[in-house]
Amino acid sequence: MSAARDIRCVEFVELVTEWMEGALSDTERGGVEEHIAICPECTIYLAQLRETTMVLGRFDAQPPAEPARERLMAEFRRLHAQD
Amino acid sequence: MGYGGRTMVEGTASELASDSEADLLERLRLGDEAAFGFLLDRYHRPMVRLARSHVSTDAAADDVVQETWMAVVRGIERFEGRSSVKTWLFRILVNRAKSRGVKESRSVPFSSLDDDSGWTVDPDRFLDDSHRWGGYWSAPPVSWRDAPELNALNSEIRQSIGRALDDLPAMQQAVVTLRDVHGLDAAEVCVALDVSEANQRVLLHRGRSRMRTVLESEFLESGLVS
């Protein structure tokens, strides 16, 4: 008899990050993995979370505004000129 | 050698991105402006956002970030490299922002979890409990597998992502930025932001789930998936 918890889609979407982080108890992990195995929609949801991470990894953060950037670069230059 | 132009920094950015931590540190110690510019360009805005959540004004947040960069510039010689440069950077920032917040006597105590609605997917997308299949999807997600934007971000998607990240509550933005945009691992993020592992996971969960929702809207609106 399986000790895994019975997980529905509405619970899956709340547990999924913890599962991806490897932070669930054995019982919960079993329940999540069983659910993934039988639920094509949640399988898609999981893929989307992974794709989200992938897309974010390709996102370049915006640089500081030019005046601030130049000021900071000047400070960096100045400090190194003193060496 | 002049570093005035932005193109110089952009040209070396991919090189710097694949540099090891040790190489980056070495370049910074040697006064390599491209290396410093690389850090500035990547982390400045997330730092401003995070500082702003600890202090009362935009000006105070800018001060805190400026002070942090100065501390980094001056401290790079002594930095022992036991954590990554980026972890160290955020650690300094959070410490300074908290001190500044205390000095300003912010009346609202800072909570690392920040306020949130609690759910990450609209409850209306699931069948309610009166239904035989209560708790299962009523409006399930549709695969993005065929969306070309998964491979190449166009400028519209980039803008949406930028806006959505800016709209996240500060600590969620910090975690998602450090974990998913910049690839720091969970332990590094906990040190950098001074949060527990459990809190970090909650913040990641909420922030990343929100970003998924944003991308889903983008893909549906532009007809990239049906």
Side-chain angles (χ1 to χ4, degrees):
Chain A
M1 180 117 105
S2 171
R5 238 184 71 183
D6 219 16
I7 305 253
R8 304 170 305 165
C9 309
V10 68
E11 284 114 22
F12 173 80
V13 299
E14 294 310 330
L15 289 171
V16 63
T17 307
E18 299 258 308
W19 177 75
M20 290 166 82
E21 297 285 286
L24 290 180
S25 68
D26 286 346
T27 311
E28 285 189 317
R29 183 165 48 85
V32 166
E33 287 170 5
E34 273 185 25
H35 185 77
I36 292 170
I38 58 138
C39 183
E41 286 105 357
C42 286
T43 300
I44 289 173
Y45 186 83
L46 174 62
Q48 288 179 352
L49 280 179
R50 288 178 170 148
E51 284 151 10
T52 298
T53 298
M54 194 182 67
V55 167
L56 288 170
R58 274 198 237 103
F59 174 76
D60 303 310
Q62 294 153 304
E66 200 51 48
R69 193 182 191 279
E70 195 37 55
R71 213 169 44 238
L72 290 163
M73 288 300 291
E75 186 64 26
F76 183 74
R77 251 176 246 133
R78 195 177 63 81
L79 270 152
H80 277 277
Q82 286 168 9
D83 289 344
Chain B
M1 196 155 39
Y3 283 89
R6 180 61 69 87
T7 23
M8 172 70 87
V9 173
E10 280 170 4
T12 53
S14 55
E15 190 189 308
L16 285 157
S18 52
D19 258 5
S20 69
E21 260 301 301
D23 289 341
L24 181 64
L25 196 49
E26 194 50 36
R27 287 203 195 207
L28 288 169
R29 287 197 182 116
L30 291 171
D32 182 333
E33 292 176 26
F36 184 64
F38 173 77
L39 278 186
L40 271 184
D41 290 342
R42 286 197 130 195
Y43 300 117
H44 185 84
R45 297 248 178 154
M47 286 164 70
V48 170
R49 186 85 166 102
L50 187 55
R52 187 64 184 85
S53 65
H54 288 78
V55 300
S56 325
T57 62
D58 287 349
D62 285 342
D63 280 351
V64 166
V65 174
Q66 173 98 4
E67 284 168 25
T68 300
W69 285 121
M70 292 302 96
V72 165
V73 169
R74 286 169 200 142
I76 203 79
E77 282 301 315
R78 278 167 289 132
F79 175 60
E80 287 167 28
R82 266 178 281 139
S83 70
S84 68
V85 172
K86 29 195 183 183
T87 306
W88 178 55
L89 182 63
F90 275 90
R91 197 67 164 124
I92 296 173
L93 175 80
V94 171
N95 285 342
R96 283 180 180 265
K98 282 182 177 172
S99 306
R100 180 72 177 247
V102 165
K103 273 196 207 115
E104 290 177 345
S105 314
R106 259 174 73 101
S107 53
V108 179
F110 178 77
S111 158
S112 68
L113 270 186
D114 50 36
D115 290 323
D116 210 334
S117 59
W119 52 256
T120 49
V121 179
D122 185 345
D124 287 345
R125 294 185 66 171
F126 302 98
L127 297 167
D128 66 48
D129 287 339
S130 65
H131 197 281
R132 185 184 168 214
W133 293 105
Y136 286 75
W137 291 95
S138 57
V142 176
S143 175
W144 295 342
R145 213 180 317 117
D146 296 329
E149 274 61 19
L150 282 184
N151 292 312
L153 299 185
N154 64 34
S155 70
E156 248 179 57
I157 300 256
R158 245 178 233 284
Q159 277 184 46
S160 294
I161 293 173
R163 270 197 304 269
L165 280 172
D166 278 346
D167 285 344
L168 287 177
M171 285 303 280
Q172 288 181 27
Q173 193 211 41
V175 173
V176 171
T177 301
L178 293 181
R179 285 293 306 266
D180 290 352
V181 177
H182 297 303
L184 273 72
D185 65 40
E188 289 179 308
V189 173
C190 288
V191 170
L193 299 179
D194 192 24
V195 292
S196 68
E197 285 180 24
N199 282 3
Q200 191 256 170
R201 281 193 296 267
V202 172
L203 291 164
L204 179 65
H205 175 66
R206 290 177 179 170
R208 191 190 271 167
S209 301
R210 239 180 241 219
M211 294 307 294
R212 186 215 67 91
T213 302
V214 167
L215 282 179
E216 181 179 55
S217 303
E218 272 300 310
F219 290 153
L220 284 170
E221 271 171 30
S222 39
L224 294 165
V225 290
S226 48

